Amino acid sequence: MDRIRAYRRLIKENIEYDITRESFGYDTEILDEIVDIMVDTVCGTKPMVRISGQDFPAEVVKSRLLKLNSEHIKYVVGCLN
């Protein structure tokens, strides 16, 4: 559980969660869902992660997710809207 909390804190720090949340205004639920998906994926125990029908090594996916910042998240949410 401590590991999950630590990764959640790191991800929120990386994406400047509080600032990003304020900029979304009424759309804060989507940000929380994105954070949950990121934490679940980073904390997963399987050696491979399937994305769009392709398997990727979990460590590669974890590394990429931990490199995301607020601009990446804003772009994704913008595309979803």
Side-chain angles (χ1 to χ4, degrees), residues 44-50 55-62:
T45 58
K46 292 186 178 182
M48 303 295 278
V49 176
R50 183 167 291 236
D55 290 332
F56 293 92
E59 288 303 315
V60 171
V61 175
K62 177 179 173 178

Side-chain angles (χ1 to χ4, degrees), residues 2-79:
D2 289 335
R3 182 171 167 256
I4 293 171
R5 270 190 241 124
Y7 275 118
R8 182 175 301 281
R9 191 173 338 149
L10 177 61
I11 288 168
K12 284 184 169 184
E13 185 178 306
N14 289 349
I15 65 169
E16 300 173 312
Y17 179 83
D18 293 331
I19 296 168
T20 304
R21 187 177 167 105
E22 283 179 27
S23 72
F24 285 165
Y26 65 90
D27 237 355
T28 58
E29 287 181 21
I30 189 84
L31 179 61
D32 291 334
E33 290 176 18
I34 290 171
V35 169
D36 288 343
I37 291 169
M38 291 173 69
V39 171
D40 290 346
T41 305
V42 167
C43 293
T45 58
K46 292 186 178 182
M48 303 295 278
V49 176
R50 183 167 291 236
I51 301 171
S52 296
Q54 280 191 285
D55 290 332
F56 293 92
E59 288 303 315
V60 171
V61 175
K62 177 179 173 178
S63 173
R64 289 184 182 179
L65 287 174
L66 293 176
K67 291 177 185 173
L68 296 179
N69 62 39
S70 61
E71 293 303 313
H72 296 111
I73 302 303
K74 288 175 187 175
Y75 174 79
V76 169
V77 171
C79 289

